[in-house]
Amino acid sequence: MTAPGPGAHLLVSGGAGFIGSCFVRDVMGRRDGTRITVLDKLTYAGNRVNLGEVEADPEMAARFAFVQGDIADPSAVAPLAAAADAIVNFAAESHVDRSILEPAAFLRTGVDGVHVLLEALRAETERAGRGERSLAPRLLQVSTDEVYGSVDEGRSVEADPLAPRSPYAAAKAAGELLVRAYRVTYGLDAVTTRGSNTYGPYHHPEKLIPLFVTNALDDLPLPLYGDGLQRRDWLHVSDHAGAIAHVLAHGVAGEVYNVPGSAELTNREVVERLLALLGKPWSLVRTVADRPGHDRRYAMDGAHLGALGWVNRVGFDEGLASTVTWYREHESWWRAARRGDWDAYYARQYAERLATSSAADANP
Ligand code: NAD
Ligand code: DAU
């Protein structure tokens, strides 16, 4: 079992999404000979444009391949796993609100899909055991702090019990428990990361920061759930992708690594900062009905990852400012992401909430 280094061939599932595409752009940008095949279903959240920088660069494009397909489809996964030194699995349905409206797709990708990846990994590990390939591949499963549930005080450590509270979080917890079981039972080389709330360029406009930035640019109302005092620890996407690459290269098989952010803030504090950057008034903010089962706070201890030698590089104020600038400069990207099912989703999620909303008190 050897962690993949420069020149390895990585299978990156979900690599056309927000964090996966950042990982692909950053790893390919190292120009160290690493080859990447992306397997992505291109759901509403996946966008091949996110990989345009890689596909347009002849040197990177020569080391890159894109396959449209589903991680829950064994016939798509098996041949790609056979050619890979490692699999990095970003693929998931990732939006908590959508998981509350319609959980089924979350289970299909988060549970059945992870199971298919693990069966492929198991087959490749057996092939390595028979000498049919030199080394067994490693799997890095990208998970989330949401598996710990709401953490009112203190910071979650990796050994804490899992207590997910949304269908999204439950699917992610189930996926990582399958990874753990396959590691223990079949001796697979697998590591898991639990990342914090991530923000940055190419973030789908359904999530808090890009939704509020893009709505504010259009002077549309900003629907703040409940009292807006929920707390999140914000992690820049380049730090999340960098931490995943670091764990892929240096993580110990069977281990789980928290990836905390750089700034624990209430949602109100985040909204105040982004409105200041945009020069837009607080009067855009509307208090709307809360998310059912809304987790009050996430906070993780990062000592285990720190001991592996990883430190975040991007502070929140700097990261938020550059993110707001990115959305200002990439209007065509976020307007395109608001096509397809966007209007139907937005109406289902927000029409009733906004109709019964009230002006948000600036100083509650
Ligand atoms: P995203 O929704 O932007 O991207 C998900 C990608 O997976 C998309 O490209 C989509 O097309 C693809 N996909 C979905 N189902 C698929 C399937 N069955 N087969 C193949 N591809 C499929 O999500 P993201 O925010 O980039 O999150 C990536 C991963 O990181 C997810 O596993 C998520 O749970 C985890 N995570 C996200 C955050 C965050 O704040 N965004 C934090 C911690 C962990
Ligand atoms: O913590 C990691 C998780 O972070 C990831 O695993 C998820 O994939 C990712 O979506 C994110 O989950 P959250 O639910 O924390 O992110 P979201 O951007 O949906 O919401 C952030 C906070 O903002 C949360 O307290 C809910 C609130 N919110 C969100 C939206 C979309 C609002 O008040 N109004 C909104 O319209």
Side-chain angles (χ1 to χ4, degrees), residues 62-347:
R63 295 181 282 117
F64 180 75
F66 183 87
V67 177
Q68 184 170 359
D70 187 339
I71 62 162
D73 174 2
S75 68
V77 169
L80 299 178
D85 300 309
I87 304 170
V88 186
N89 181 36
F90 292 92
E93 294 290 334
S94 67
H95 191 32
V96 172
D97 289 324
R98 289 190 193 247
S99 85
I100 294 167
L101 295 172
E102 283 186 37
F106 289 74
L107 302 184
R108 175 165 166 82
T109 297
V111 183
D112 296 344
V114 172
H115 177 233
V116 168
L117 291 178
L118 286 165
E119 279 296 318
L121 189 70
R122 179 182 165 200
E124 292 309 309
T125 303
E126 287 171 2
R127 282 184 61 220
R130 294 192 299 267
E132 292 168 20
R133 58 179 290 164
S134 58
L135 291 169
R138 156 167 280 198
L139 171 70
L140 188 148
Q141 170 67 7
V142 179
S143 190
T144 171
D145 58 2
E146 300 207 13
V147 298
Y148 294 116
S150 193
V151 182
D152 290 340
E153 288 178 0
R155 298 189 167 275
S156 306
V157 294
E158 288 82 353
D160 283 351
L162 304 190
R165 289 160 39 89
S166 71
Y168 163 72
K172 294 300 293 183
E176 23 167 313
L177 291 177
L178 280 172
V179 172
R180 175 187 156 87
Y182 269 64
R183 158 77 190 156
V184 171
T185 305
Y186 305 110
L188 307 187
D189 181 358
V191 286
T192 296
T193 55
R194 293 183 185 146
S196 193
N197 273 73
T198 306
Y199 72 100
Y202 299 100
H203 201 186
H204 193 279
E206 67 193 355
K207 309 285 171 40
L208 176 75
I209 289 179
L211 179 70
F212 278 33
V213 169
T214 56
N215 274 13
L217 285 170
D218 279 346
D219 295 311
L220 292 171
L222 312 183
L224 188 66
Y225 296 158
D227 62 9
L229 295 176
Q230 304 83 6
R231 304 183 75 85
R232 299 290 186 266
D233 181 19
W234 292 96
L235 172 65
H236 192 265
V237 65
S238 63
D239 279 333
H240 195 166
I244 287 168
H246 193 80
V247 171
L248 181 68
H250 305 290
V252 176
E255 291 289 295
V256 175
Y257 296 90
N258 288 344
V259 186
S262 305
E264 185 186 328
L265 296 166
T266 66
N267 292 339
R268 281 176 168 273
E269 289 167 330
V270 171
V271 176
E272 280 164 10
R273 288 180 199 207
L274 65 84
L275 286 173
L277 286 163
L278 288 160
K280 296 286 183 176
W282 179 263
S283 57
L284 285 175
V285 182
R286 304 293 300 178
T287 294
V288 301
D290 209 347
R291 173 186 280 174
H294 197 168
D295 288 339
R296 196 72 179 160
R297 176 176 178 260
Y298 304 129
M300 292 186 292
D301 183 289
H304 194 40
L305 179 61
L308 212 58
W310 175 258
V311 267
N312 287 340
R313 297 180 175 99
V314 185
F316 185 68
D317 287 333
E318 169 203 348
L320 187 66
S322 59
T323 299
V324 166
T325 300
W326 189 89
Y327 280 90
R328 279 189 192 280
E329 292 176 351
H330 292 79
E331 186 177 337
S332 60
W333 182 90
W334 60 261
R335 290 214 187 273
R338 286 171 174 252
R339 296 199 189 109
D341 86 336
W342 177 263
D343 287 345
Y345 163 72
Y346 200 84

